[in-house]
Amino acid sequence: MQKDSDAFTLTINGSIETAEYEDCSALAAKLMIVFKKDKDTCNWEIMNGNDQCTTQLSHRMRGVRVSESFAFNQPFFAALRGSSAHGWPQLCFSFMGPDMFGRNIPRGYAVGHVPMFPGSYTIELPIFRPKATSMMQAITSFVQGHHTEFKNPSHSLAHNFGRDRVRTKTHGFITVNLTVALGPG
Amino acid sequence: MAELFLIGQLKGGIGFSQPELSCKYSLVLGEAWKVVDGETEANTQVDEGLPGEMCTWSCPIDVHLTTESVNDWPKLVFEVWSRDRFGRNDLAGYGVCNIPYNVGNHQLKVHCWKPVGNALERLTELFVGGSVVLKRPEIILNSDDREDLVTRPTGVIELELNVLANGFEAVDGIER
């Protein structure tokens, strides 16, 4: 349990393990650790490590739950310092991969909180992708290769407002292994 | 003054008959409770799930509350809406969820229901669409008033909630 006035450190050691995603030949993931900062009541800052990491482009294998599976095995590390539990860090993923013409297109997003209690975890997060608003836009984006995406994914994913205008479709899952430690600030 | 942190995620809905679903949630607080930081209500996006799997909302919940009393402990109230292929929004279920008292990580499931109308309304719903909704939504929260209501189950909302509490030793009515 965290006291509001006392700062504490959160150490995250993790690895982006695998993903399953339907109808896609290759996939890469980008991770952003998003937290609330620069507020009087709560401020988080990164002490060590990185708040971003990008995986390699993985080719597909046969999937178990959906048609294709991908392996990344990409480790990441971050040590954060927080003053309040509010604004707890979230793992925001965005995915991209080549389409049938070899153009790199956005493949979806996933978001989840870093576990709040020390321990080792395997987290599975669903990957969803914004849909085109009309049939016309769907055709244009397929031809031009400019697909619907979040302009500022870390902001759109880590907050709960402004989502009601978005239509999405779930396409797969990402699996992340995490070890979390808490310490005094 | 005691503090309560509710941090988690509205993960998604499973078992609903309609494929495209969105959810509106709000945190209902008593008079003694105050919001320090965070949003207490939100609308999720409309998501189409994989066949037989959960539809994804992945909507973060992160609220910092203070209270002087443990009365009217917060509750989460949900309204699930479906969207059909003509773009019409229709009620897919109501639900309510108690926030656990104990500190820790909680995986919660909310079994949703929706009112069943009379024979004519059911026939209209089958052929035209559009379902009966509650005239007084406060009935979702009340423990009385429900005896005349006829409902049917629609699906399950899954959410993850971490509860952190601080200073409840000093508040009347609860011992830790």
PDB file of all heavy atoms in Angstrom, chain A residues 1 4 22 39 41 65 85-87 111 113 116 126 131 160 163 166-168 170, chain B residues 3 7-9 25 37 42 45-48 50 53 56-58 62 162 165:
ATOM      1  N   MET A   1       0.841  -1.202   0.000  1.00  0.00           N
ATOM      2  CA  MET A   1       0.000   0.000   0.000  1.00  0.00           C
ATOM      3  C   MET A   1       0.879   1.256   0.000  1.00  0.00           C
ATOM      4  O   MET A   1       1.861   1.331   0.716  1.00  0.00           O
ATOM      5  CB  MET A   1      -0.897  -0.024   1.227  1.00  0.00           C
ATOM      6  CG  MET A   1      -1.918   1.059   1.176  1.00  0.00           C
ATOM      7  SD  MET A   1      -3.271   0.777   2.323  1.00  0.00           S
ATOM      8  CE  MET A   1      -2.439   0.388   3.806  1.00  0.00           C
ATOM      9  N   ASP A   4       0.170   8.503   0.141  1.00  0.00           N
ATOM     10  CA  ASP A   4       0.088   9.529  -0.891  1.00  0.00           C
ATOM     11  C   ASP A   4       1.297  10.459  -0.875  1.00  0.00           C
ATOM     12  O   ASP A   4       1.857  10.792  -1.897  1.00  0.00           O
ATOM     13  CB  ASP A   4      -1.197  10.322  -0.684  1.00  0.00           C
ATOM     14  CG  ASP A   4      -1.451  11.302  -1.805  1.00  0.00           C
ATOM     15  OD1 ASP A   4      -0.967  11.049  -2.922  1.00  0.00           O
ATOM     16  OD2 ASP A   4      -2.099  12.307  -1.558  1.00  0.00           O
ATOM     17  N   GLU A  22      -4.813 -11.864 -36.642  1.00  0.00           N
ATOM     18  CA  GLU A  22      -5.373 -12.551 -37.809  1.00  0.00           C
ATOM     19  C   GLU A  22      -5.021 -11.826 -39.109  1.00  0.00           C
ATOM     20  O   GLU A  22      -4.906 -10.600 -39.143  1.00  0.00           O
ATOM     21  CB  GLU A  22      -6.898 -12.683 -37.658  1.00  0.00           C
ATOM     22  CG  GLU A  22      -7.588 -11.365 -37.429  1.00  0.00           C
ATOM     23  CD  GLU A  22      -9.090 -11.482 -37.280  1.00  0.00           C
ATOM     24  OE1 GLU A  22      -9.580 -12.594 -37.080  1.00  0.00           O
ATOM     25  OE2 GLU A  22      -9.753 -10.449 -37.366  1.00  0.00           O
ATOM     26  N   LYS A  39       1.918  17.094 -12.386  1.00  0.00           N
ATOM     27  CA  LYS A  39       0.736  17.569 -11.672  1.00  0.00           C
ATOM     28  C   LYS A  39       1.118  17.740 -10.210  1.00  0.00           C
ATOM     29  O   LYS A  39       2.004  17.067  -9.706  1.00  0.00           O
ATOM     30  CB  LYS A  39      -0.414  16.554 -11.800  1.00  0.00           C
ATOM     31  CG  LYS A  39      -1.115  16.631 -13.129  1.00  0.00           C
ATOM     32  CD  LYS A  39      -2.447  15.939 -13.069  1.00  0.00           C
ATOM     33  CE  LYS A  39      -3.506  16.833 -12.455  1.00  0.00           C
ATOM     34  NZ  LYS A  39      -4.850  16.271 -12.559  1.00  0.00           N
ATOM     35  N   THR A  41      -0.731  16.981  -7.605  1.00  0.00           N
ATOM     36  CA  THR A  41      -1.172  15.858  -6.791  1.00  0.00           C
ATOM     37  C   THR A  41      -0.447  14.567  -7.125  1.00  0.00           C
ATOM     38  O   THR A  41      -0.333  13.687  -6.290  1.00  0.00           O
ATOM     39  CB  THR A  41      -2.685  15.642  -6.968  1.00  0.00           C
ATOM     40  OG1 THR A  41      -2.973  15.691  -8.362  1.00  0.00           O
ATOM     41  CG2 THR A  41      -3.478  16.689  -6.242  1.00  0.00           C
ATOM     42  N   ARG A  65      -5.091 -19.459 -31.371  1.00  0.00           N
ATOM     43  CA  ARG A  65      -6.432 -18.908 -31.193  1.00  0.00           C
ATOM     44  C   ARG A  65      -6.900 -18.147 -32.429  1.00  0.00           C
ATOM     45  O   ARG A  65      -8.071 -18.155 -32.749  1.00  0.00           O
ATOM     46  CB  ARG A  65      -6.453 -17.991 -29.973  1.00  0.00           C
ATOM     47  CG  ARG A  65      -6.331 -18.767 -28.696  1.00  0.00           C
ATOM     48  CD  ARG A  65      -6.080 -17.869 -27.532  1.00  0.00           C
ATOM     49  NE  ARG A  65      -7.273 -17.159 -27.117  1.00  0.00           N
ATOM     50  CZ  ARG A  65      -7.274 -16.286 -26.130  1.00  0.00           C
ATOM     51  NH1 ARG A  65      -6.163 -16.017 -25.492  1.00  0.00           N
ATOM     52  NH2 ARG A  65      -8.378 -15.673 -25.781  1.00  0.00           N
ATOM     53  N   ALA A  85      -0.342   6.905  -6.301  1.00  0.00           N
ATOM     54  CA  ALA A  85      -0.754   5.765  -7.130  1.00  0.00           C
ATOM     55  C   ALA A  85      -1.570   6.213  -8.332  1.00  0.00           C
ATOM     56  O   ALA A  85      -1.640   5.513  -9.332  1.00  0.00           O
ATOM     57  CB  ALA A  85      -1.558   4.773  -6.301  1.00  0.00           C
ATOM     58  N   HIS A  86      -2.183   7.391  -8.216  1.00  0.00           N
ATOM     59  CA  HIS A  86      -2.944   7.901  -9.352  1.00  0.00           C
ATOM     60  C   HIS A  86      -1.991   8.163 -10.517  1.00  0.00           C
ATOM     61  O   HIS A  86      -0.895   8.646 -10.323  1.00  0.00           O
ATOM     62  CB  HIS A  86      -3.665   9.180  -8.945  1.00  0.00           C
ATOM     63  CG  HIS A  86      -4.499   9.757 -10.041  1.00  0.00           C
ATOM     64  ND1 HIS A  86      -5.634   9.130 -10.500  1.00  0.00           N
ATOM     65  CD2 HIS A  86      -4.361  10.872 -10.773  1.00  0.00           C
ATOM     66  CE1 HIS A  86      -6.157   9.853 -11.473  1.00  0.00           C
ATOM     67  NE2 HIS A  86      -5.405  10.916 -11.664  1.00  0.00           N
ATOM     68  N   GLY A  87      -2.429   7.861 -11.707  1.00  0.00           N
ATOM     69  CA  GLY A  87      -1.569   8.027 -12.869  1.00  0.00           C
ATOM     70  C   GLY A  87      -0.599   6.870 -13.045  1.00  0.00           C
ATOM     71  O   GLY A  87       0.426   7.004 -13.696  1.00  0.00           O
ATOM     72  N   VAL A 111      -3.604  -1.838 -24.714  1.00  0.00           N
ATOM     73  CA  VAL A 111      -3.239  -1.066 -23.521  1.00  0.00           C
ATOM     74  C   VAL A 111      -3.586  -1.834 -22.257  1.00  0.00           C
ATOM     75  O   VAL A 111      -4.558  -2.590 -22.223  1.00  0.00           O
ATOM     76  CB  VAL A 111      -3.920   0.334 -23.543  1.00  0.00           C
ATOM     77  CG1 VAL A 111      -5.429   0.222 -23.515  1.00  0.00           C
ATOM     78  CG2 VAL A 111      -3.440   1.212 -22.401  1.00  0.00           C
ATOM     79  N   HIS A 113      -2.613  -1.728 -17.622  1.00  0.00           N
ATOM     80  CA  HIS A 113      -1.820  -1.180 -16.522  1.00  0.00           C
ATOM     81  C   HIS A 113      -0.654  -2.107 -16.174  1.00  0.00           C
ATOM     82  O   HIS A 113      -0.770  -3.327 -16.281  1.00  0.00           O
ATOM     83  CB  HIS A 113      -2.685  -1.016 -15.277  1.00  0.00           C
ATOM     84  CG  HIS A 113      -3.480   0.251 -15.277  1.00  0.00           C
ATOM     85  ND1 HIS A 113      -4.802   0.289 -15.636  1.00  0.00           N
ATOM     86  CD2 HIS A 113      -3.140   1.517 -14.988  1.00  0.00           C
ATOM     87  CE1 HIS A 113      -5.238   1.535 -15.552  1.00  0.00           C
ATOM     88  NE2 HIS A 113      -4.247   2.308 -15.163  1.00  0.00           N
ATOM     89  N   MET A 116       0.071  -3.588 -10.019  1.00  0.00           N
ATOM     90  CA  MET A 116       0.330  -2.656  -8.910  1.00  0.00           C
ATOM     91  C   MET A 116       0.945  -3.336  -7.696  1.00  0.00           C
ATOM     92  O   MET A 116       1.260  -2.675  -6.723  1.00  0.00           O
ATOM     93  CB  MET A 116      -0.970  -1.981  -8.511  1.00  0.00           C
ATOM     94  CG  MET A 116      -1.509  -1.119  -9.623  1.00  0.00           C
ATOM     95  SD  MET A 116      -2.931  -0.196  -9.140  1.00  0.00           S
ATOM     96  CE  MET A 116      -2.214   0.963  -8.018  1.00  0.00           C
ATOM     97  N   PRO A 126      -5.750  -7.673 -25.434  1.00  0.00           N
ATOM     98  CA  PRO A 126      -6.321  -7.737 -26.781  1.00  0.00           C
ATOM     99  C   PRO A 126      -5.843  -6.580 -27.657  1.00  0.00           C
ATOM    100  O   PRO A 126      -5.601  -5.486 -27.160  1.00  0.00           O
ATOM    101  CB  PRO A 126      -7.826  -7.655 -26.543  1.00  0.00           C
ATOM    102  CG  PRO A 126      -7.997  -7.126 -25.180  1.00  0.00           C
ATOM    103  CD  PRO A 126      -6.746  -7.336 -24.419  1.00  0.00           C
ATOM    104  N   LYS A 131     -11.664   1.290 -37.028  1.00  0.00           N
ATOM    105  CA  LYS A 131     -12.259   0.989 -38.328  1.00  0.00           C
ATOM    106  C   LYS A 131     -12.432   2.280 -39.107  1.00  0.00           C
ATOM    107  O   LYS A 131     -12.580   3.349 -38.525  1.00  0.00           O
ATOM    108  CB  LYS A 131     -13.651   0.402 -38.114  1.00  0.00           C
ATOM    109  CG  LYS A 131     -13.715  -1.031 -37.783  1.00  0.00           C
ATOM    110  CD  LYS A 131     -15.187  -1.421 -37.902  1.00  0.00           C
ATOM    111  CE  LYS A 131     -15.499  -2.643 -37.102  1.00  0.00           C
ATOM    112  NZ  LYS A 131     -16.931  -2.905 -37.060  1.00  0.00           N
ATOM    113  N   ASN A 160      -9.565   7.782 -20.689  1.00  0.00           N
ATOM    114  CA  ASN A 160     -10.869   7.202 -20.973  1.00  0.00           C
ATOM    115  C   ASN A 160     -11.840   8.191 -21.600  1.00  0.00           C
ATOM    116  O   ASN A 160     -13.007   7.892 -21.732  1.00  0.00           O
ATOM    117  CB  ASN A 160     -11.459   6.575 -19.709  1.00  0.00           C
ATOM    118  CG  ASN A 160     -11.543   7.550 -18.572  1.00  0.00           C
ATOM    119  OD1 ASN A 160     -11.316   8.729 -18.745  1.00  0.00           O
ATOM    120  ND2 ASN A 160     -11.879   7.061 -17.403  1.00  0.00           N
ATOM    121  N   ARG A 163     -13.428   8.498 -26.394  1.00  0.00           N
ATOM    122  CA  ARG A 163     -13.417   7.214 -27.091  1.00  0.00           C
ATOM    123  C   ARG A 163     -14.737   6.906 -27.773  1.00  0.00           C
ATOM    124  O   ARG A 163     -14.805   5.993 -28.584  1.00  0.00           O
ATOM    125  CB  ARG A 163     -13.167   6.089 -26.084  1.00  0.00           C
ATOM    126  CG  ARG A 163     -11.760   6.025 -25.609  1.00  0.00           C
ATOM    127  CD  ARG A 163     -11.622   4.775 -24.781  1.00  0.00           C
ATOM    128  NE  ARG A 163     -10.244   4.564 -24.407  1.00  0.00           N
ATOM    129  CZ  ARG A 163      -9.657   3.391 -24.438  1.00  0.00           C
ATOM    130  NH1 ARG A 163     -10.318   2.328 -24.806  1.00  0.00           N
ATOM    131  NH2 ARG A 163      -8.400   3.269 -24.081  1.00  0.00           N
ATOM    132  N   VAL A 166     -15.090   6.459 -31.572  1.00  0.00           N
ATOM    133  CA  VAL A 166     -14.217   5.518 -32.262  1.00  0.00           C
ATOM    134  C   VAL A 166     -14.925   4.171 -32.425  1.00  0.00           C
ATOM    135  O   VAL A 166     -15.603   3.714 -31.511  1.00  0.00           O
ATOM    136  CB  VAL A 166     -12.908   5.323 -31.464  1.00  0.00           C
ATOM    137  CG1 VAL A 166     -11.941   4.448 -32.223  1.00  0.00           C
ATOM    138  CG2 VAL A 166     -12.283   6.656 -31.149  1.00  0.00           C
ATOM    139  N   ARG A 167     -14.774   3.581 -33.589  1.00  0.00           N
ATOM    140  CA  ARG A 167     -15.246   2.204 -33.793  1.00  0.00           C
ATOM    141  C   ARG A 167     -14.026   1.340 -34.070  1.00  0.00           C
ATOM    142  O   ARG A 167     -13.170   1.697 -34.872  1.00  0.00           O
ATOM    143  CB  ARG A 167     -16.213   2.136 -34.967  1.00  0.00           C
ATOM    144  CG  ARG A 167     -17.540   2.778 -34.672  1.00  0.00           C
ATOM    145  CD  ARG A 167     -18.391   2.804 -35.901  1.00  0.00           C
ATOM    146  NE  ARG A 167     -18.698   1.465 -36.355  1.00  0.00           N
ATOM    147  CZ  ARG A 167     -19.009   1.173 -37.619  1.00  0.00           C
ATOM    148  NH1 ARG A 167     -19.013   2.108 -38.533  1.00  0.00           N
ATOM    149  NH2 ARG A 167     -19.303  -0.067 -37.956  1.00  0.00           N
ATOM    150  N   THR A 168     -13.950   0.221 -33.382  1.00  0.00           N
ATOM    151  CA  THR A 168     -12.765  -0.621 -33.505  1.00  0.00           C
ATOM    152  C   THR A 168     -13.176  -2.066 -33.751  1.00  0.00           C
ATOM    153  O   THR A 168     -14.336  -2.423 -33.611  1.00  0.00           O
ATOM    154  CB  THR A 168     -11.915  -0.569 -32.222  1.00  0.00           C
ATOM    155  OG1 THR A 168     -12.716  -1.034 -31.136  1.00  0.00           O
ATOM    156  CG2 THR A 168     -11.433   0.831 -31.924  1.00  0.00           C
ATOM    157  N   THR A 170     -11.507  -6.054 -32.801  1.00  0.00           N
ATOM    158  CA  THR A 170     -10.449  -6.824 -32.164  1.00  0.00           C
ATOM    159  C   THR A 170      -9.836  -7.777 -33.189  1.00  0.00           C
ATOM    160  O   THR A 170     -10.554  -8.436 -33.935  1.00  0.00           O
ATOM    161  CB  THR A 170     -11.018  -7.618 -30.980  1.00  0.00           C
ATOM    162  OG1 THR A 170     -11.740  -6.725 -30.159  1.00  0.00           O
ATOM    163  CG2 THR A 170      -9.908  -8.253 -30.171  1.00  0.00           C
TER     164      THR A 170
ATOM    165  N   GLU B   3      -8.223   7.939   2.051  1.00  0.00           N
ATOM    166  CA  GLU B   3      -8.076   7.984   0.593  1.00  0.00           C
ATOM    167  C   GLU B   3      -8.318   6.611  -0.004  1.00  0.00           C
ATOM    168  O   GLU B   3      -7.967   5.593   0.595  1.00  0.00           O
ATOM    169  CB  GLU B   3      -6.644   8.367   0.235  1.00  0.00           C
ATOM    170  CG  GLU B   3      -6.274   9.766   0.545  1.00  0.00           C
ATOM    171  CD  GLU B   3      -4.817   9.968   0.197  1.00  0.00           C
ATOM    172  OE1 GLU B   3      -3.960   9.308   0.803  1.00  0.00           O
ATOM    173  OE2 GLU B   3      -4.563  10.768  -0.710  1.00  0.00           O
ATOM    174  N   ILE B   7      -7.796   1.806  -9.486  1.00  0.00           N
ATOM    175  CA  ILE B   7      -7.017   1.832 -10.721  1.00  0.00           C
ATOM    176  C   ILE B   7      -7.206   0.501 -11.427  1.00  0.00           C
ATOM    177  O   ILE B   7      -7.034  -0.558 -10.820  1.00  0.00           O
ATOM    178  CB  ILE B   7      -5.527   2.103 -10.418  1.00  0.00           C
ATOM    179  CG1 ILE B   7      -5.392   3.472  -9.745  1.00  0.00           C
ATOM    180  CG2 ILE B   7      -4.691   2.050 -11.685  1.00  0.00           C
ATOM    181  CD1 ILE B   7      -4.040   3.786  -9.221  1.00  0.00           C
ATOM    182  N   GLY B   8      -7.575   0.563 -12.663  1.00  0.00           N
ATOM    183  CA  GLY B   8      -7.782  -0.685 -13.382  1.00  0.00           C
ATOM    184  C   GLY B   8      -8.241  -0.447 -14.791  1.00  0.00           C
ATOM    185  O   GLY B   8      -7.957   0.588 -15.379  1.00  0.00           O
ATOM    186  N   GLN B   9      -8.932  -1.408 -15.302  1.00  0.00           N
ATOM    187  CA  GLN B   9      -9.313  -1.332 -16.706  1.00  0.00           C
ATOM    188  C   GLN B   9     -10.632  -2.064 -16.932  1.00  0.00           C
ATOM    189  O   GLN B   9     -10.838  -3.150 -16.406  1.00  0.00           O
ATOM    190  CB  GLN B   9      -8.220  -1.982 -17.555  1.00  0.00           C
ATOM    191  CG  GLN B   9      -8.351  -1.680 -19.021  1.00  0.00           C
ATOM    192  CD  GLN B   9      -7.330  -2.422 -19.845  1.00  0.00           C
ATOM    193  OE1 GLN B   9      -7.249  -3.632 -19.790  1.00  0.00           O
ATOM    194  NE2 GLN B   9      -6.555  -1.694 -20.618  1.00  0.00           N
ATOM    195  N   TYR B  25     -19.750   3.692 -18.506  1.00  0.00           N
ATOM    196  CA  TYR B  25     -19.708   3.398 -17.073  1.00  0.00           C
ATOM    197  C   TYR B  25     -19.652   4.680 -16.281  1.00  0.00           C
ATOM    198  O   TYR B  25     -19.177   5.709 -16.763  1.00  0.00           O
ATOM    199  CB  TYR B  25     -18.543   2.471 -16.720  1.00  0.00           C
ATOM    200  CG  TYR B  25     -17.180   3.124 -16.711  1.00  0.00           C
ATOM    201  CD1 TYR B  25     -16.736   3.827 -15.592  1.00  0.00           C
ATOM    202  CD2 TYR B  25     -16.346   3.034 -17.800  1.00  0.00           C
ATOM    203  CE1 TYR B  25     -15.495   4.427 -15.577  1.00  0.00           C
ATOM    204  CE2 TYR B  25     -15.102   3.626 -17.798  1.00  0.00           C
ATOM    205  CZ  TYR B  25     -14.680   4.323 -16.685  1.00  0.00           C
ATOM    206  OH  TYR B  25     -13.455   4.921 -16.671  1.00  0.00           O
ATOM    207  N   ASP B  37      -8.822  13.342  -8.216  1.00  0.00           N
ATOM    208  CA  ASP B  37      -8.230  13.286  -9.550  1.00  0.00           C
ATOM    209  C   ASP B  37      -8.859  12.138 -10.327  1.00  0.00           C
ATOM    210  O   ASP B  37      -9.234  11.132  -9.741  1.00  0.00           O
ATOM    211  CB  ASP B  37      -6.724  13.028  -9.413  1.00  0.00           C
ATOM    212  CG  ASP B  37      -5.938  14.016 -10.229  1.00  0.00           C
ATOM    213  OD1 ASP B  37      -6.421  14.388 -11.309  1.00  0.00           O
ATOM    214  OD2 ASP B  37      -4.857  14.411  -9.786  1.00  0.00           O
ATOM    215  N   ALA B  42     -17.168   7.431 -18.271  1.00  0.00           N
ATOM    216  CA  ALA B  42     -16.611   7.409 -19.618  1.00  0.00           C
ATOM    217  C   ALA B  42     -17.458   6.538 -20.519  1.00  0.00           C
ATOM    218  O   ALA B  42     -18.215   5.688 -20.065  1.00  0.00           O
ATOM    219  CB  ALA B  42     -15.176   6.887 -19.604  1.00  0.00           C
ATOM    220  N   GLN B  45     -15.148   2.956 -26.791  1.00  0.00           N
ATOM    221  CA  GLN B  45     -15.359   2.862 -28.234  1.00  0.00           C
ATOM    222  C   GLN B  45     -16.306   1.710 -28.547  1.00  0.00           C
ATOM    223  O   GLN B  45     -16.568   0.869 -27.693  1.00  0.00           O
ATOM    224  CB  GLN B  45     -14.016   2.666 -28.953  1.00  0.00           C
ATOM    225  CG  GLN B  45     -13.394   1.293 -28.859  1.00  0.00           C
ATOM    226  CD  GLN B  45     -12.541   1.092 -27.632  1.00  0.00           C
ATOM    227  OE1 GLN B  45     -12.709   1.773 -26.638  1.00  0.00           O
ATOM    228  NE2 GLN B  45     -11.653   0.125 -27.681  1.00  0.00           N
ATOM    229  N   VAL B  46     -16.800   1.669 -29.770  1.00  0.00           N
ATOM    230  CA  VAL B  46     -17.628   0.546 -30.217  1.00  0.00           C
ATOM    231  C   VAL B  46     -16.679  -0.487 -30.802  1.00  0.00           C
ATOM    232  O   VAL B  46     -15.981  -0.210 -31.776  1.00  0.00           O
ATOM    233  CB  VAL B  46     -18.629   0.990 -31.304  1.00  0.00           C
ATOM    234  CG1 VAL B  46     -19.526  -0.168 -31.694  1.00  0.00           C
ATOM    235  CG2 VAL B  46     -19.451   2.160 -30.830  1.00  0.00           C
ATOM    236  N   ASP B  47     -16.607  -1.663 -30.201  1.00  0.00           N
ATOM    237  CA  ASP B  47     -15.651  -2.648 -30.690  1.00  0.00           C
ATOM    238  C   ASP B  47     -16.369  -3.900 -31.184  1.00  0.00           C
ATOM    239  O   ASP B  47     -17.370  -4.329 -30.624  1.00  0.00           O
ATOM    240  CB  ASP B  47     -14.670  -3.047 -29.592  1.00  0.00           C
ATOM    241  CG  ASP B  47     -13.577  -3.960 -30.128  1.00  0.00           C
ATOM    242  OD1 ASP B  47     -12.688  -3.441 -30.818  1.00  0.00           O
ATOM    243  OD2 ASP B  47     -13.627  -5.175 -29.886  1.00  0.00           O
ATOM    244  N   GLU B  48     -15.816  -4.464 -32.233  1.00  0.00           N
ATOM    245  CA  GLU B  48     -16.296  -5.728 -32.761  1.00  0.00           C
ATOM    246  C   GLU B  48     -15.300  -6.800 -32.349  1.00  0.00           C
ATOM    247  O   GLU B  48     -14.136  -6.742 -32.743  1.00  0.00           O
ATOM    248  CB  GLU B  48     -16.408  -5.628 -34.287  1.00  0.00           C
ATOM    249  CG  GLU B  48     -17.002  -6.856 -34.918  1.00  0.00           C
ATOM    250  CD  GLU B  48     -16.988  -6.782 -36.435  1.00  0.00           C
ATOM    251  OE1 GLU B  48     -16.847  -5.683 -36.983  1.00  0.00           O
ATOM    252  OE2 GLU B  48     -17.094  -7.850 -37.058  1.00  0.00           O
ATOM    253  N   LEU B  50     -13.548 -10.668 -31.743  1.00  0.00           N
ATOM    254  CA  LEU B  50     -13.309 -11.876 -32.529  1.00  0.00           C
ATOM    255  C   LEU B  50     -14.443 -12.856 -32.243  1.00  0.00           C
ATOM    256  O   LEU B  50     -15.004 -12.843 -31.156  1.00  0.00           O
ATOM    257  CB  LEU B  50     -11.971 -12.508 -32.123  1.00  0.00           C
ATOM    258  CG  LEU B  50     -10.709 -11.791 -32.567  1.00  0.00           C
ATOM    259  CD1 LEU B  50      -9.520 -12.295 -31.768  1.00  0.00           C
ATOM    260  CD2 LEU B  50     -10.466 -12.024 -34.036  1.00  0.00           C
ATOM    261  N   GLU B  53     -15.017 -14.641 -28.806  1.00  0.00           N
ATOM    262  CA  GLU B  53     -14.115 -14.076 -27.802  1.00  0.00           C
ATOM    263  C   GLU B  53     -14.708 -12.775 -27.268  1.00  0.00           C
ATOM    264  O   GLU B  53     -15.762 -12.328 -27.711  1.00  0.00           O
ATOM    265  CB  GLU B  53     -12.743 -13.787 -28.423  1.00  0.00           C
ATOM    266  CG  GLU B  53     -12.054 -15.007 -28.987  1.00  0.00           C
ATOM    267  CD  GLU B  53     -10.979 -15.550 -28.075  1.00  0.00           C
ATOM    268  OE1 GLU B  53     -10.826 -15.011 -26.969  1.00  0.00           O
ATOM    269  OE2 GLU B  53     -10.308 -16.505 -28.475  1.00  0.00           O
ATOM    270  N   THR B  56     -13.301  -5.935 -27.151  1.00  0.00           N
ATOM    271  CA  THR B  56     -12.291  -5.213 -26.391  1.00  0.00           C
ATOM    272  C   THR B  56     -12.705  -3.777 -26.124  1.00  0.00           C
ATOM    273  O   THR B  56     -13.023  -3.062 -27.068  1.00  0.00           O
ATOM    274  CB  THR B  56     -10.983  -5.174 -27.196  1.00  0.00           C
ATOM    275  OG1 THR B  56     -10.690  -6.492 -27.605  1.00  0.00           O
ATOM    276  CG2 THR B  56      -9.848  -4.625 -26.381  1.00  0.00           C
ATOM    277  N   TRP B  57     -12.684  -3.362 -24.870  1.00  0.00           N
ATOM    278  CA  TRP B  57     -12.847  -1.939 -24.591  1.00  0.00           C
ATOM    279  C   TRP B  57     -11.539  -1.342 -24.073  1.00  0.00           C
ATOM    280  O   TRP B  57     -11.254  -0.189 -24.368  1.00  0.00           O
ATOM    281  CB  TRP B  57     -14.008  -1.713 -23.615  1.00  0.00           C
ATOM    282  CG  TRP B  57     -15.333  -2.106 -24.203  1.00  0.00           C
ATOM    283  CD1 TRP B  57     -15.712  -1.919 -25.500  1.00  0.00           C
ATOM    284  CD2 TRP B  57     -16.422  -2.768 -23.560  1.00  0.00           C
ATOM    285  NE1 TRP B  57     -16.974  -2.416 -25.683  1.00  0.00           N
ATOM    286  CE2 TRP B  57     -17.438  -2.942 -24.524  1.00  0.00           C
ATOM    287  CE3 TRP B  57     -16.642  -3.214 -22.248  1.00  0.00           C
ATOM    288  CZ2 TRP B  57     -18.662  -3.542 -24.221  1.00  0.00           C
ATOM    289  CZ3 TRP B  57     -17.852  -3.813 -21.955  1.00  0.00           C
ATOM    290  CH2 TRP B  57     -18.847  -3.975 -22.931  1.00  0.00           C
ATOM    291  N   SER B  58     -10.758  -2.122 -23.333  1.00  0.00           N
ATOM    292  CA  SER B  58      -9.465  -1.659 -22.795  1.00  0.00           C
ATOM    293  C   SER B  58      -9.516  -0.215 -22.317  1.00  0.00           C
ATOM    294  O   SER B  58      -8.677   0.596 -22.658  1.00  0.00           O
ATOM    295  CB  SER B  58      -8.365  -1.797 -23.847  1.00  0.00           C
ATOM    296  OG  SER B  58      -8.083  -3.143 -24.076  1.00  0.00           O
ATOM    297  N   ASP B  62      -8.986   5.183 -13.518  1.00  0.00           N
ATOM    298  CA  ASP B  62      -7.949   5.646 -12.596  1.00  0.00           C
ATOM    299  C   ASP B  62      -8.509   6.826 -11.801  1.00  0.00           C
ATOM    300  O   ASP B  62      -8.527   7.947 -12.281  1.00  0.00           O
ATOM    301  CB  ASP B  62      -6.688   6.056 -13.386  1.00  0.00           C
ATOM    302  CG  ASP B  62      -5.501   6.265 -12.476  1.00  0.00           C
ATOM    303  OD1 ASP B  62      -5.713   6.438 -11.270  1.00  0.00           O
ATOM    304  OD2 ASP B  62      -4.356   6.267 -12.976  1.00  0.00           O
ATOM    305  N   ASN B 162      -7.725  -2.508  -9.239  1.00  0.00           N
ATOM    306  CA  ASN B 162      -6.806  -2.515  -8.109  1.00  0.00           C
ATOM    307  C   ASN B 162      -7.333  -1.512  -7.098  1.00  0.00           C
ATOM    308  O   ASN B 162      -7.617  -0.371  -7.451  1.00  0.00           O
ATOM    309  CB  ASN B 162      -5.410  -2.090  -8.552  1.00  0.00           C
ATOM    310  CG  ASN B 162      -4.775  -3.120  -9.458  1.00  0.00           C
ATOM    311  OD1 ASN B 162      -4.372  -4.177  -9.014  1.00  0.00           O
ATOM    312  ND2 ASN B 162      -4.712  -2.823 -10.745  1.00  0.00           N
ATOM    313  N   ALA B 165      -6.010   1.559  -0.384  1.00  0.00           N
ATOM    314  CA  ALA B 165      -6.670   2.389   0.614  1.00  0.00           C
ATOM    315  C   ALA B 165      -5.639   2.946   1.568  1.00  0.00           C
ATOM    316  O   ALA B 165      -4.585   2.350   1.787  1.00  0.00           O
ATOM    317  CB  ALA B 165      -7.703   1.569   1.371  1.00  0.00           C
TER     318      ALA B 165
END
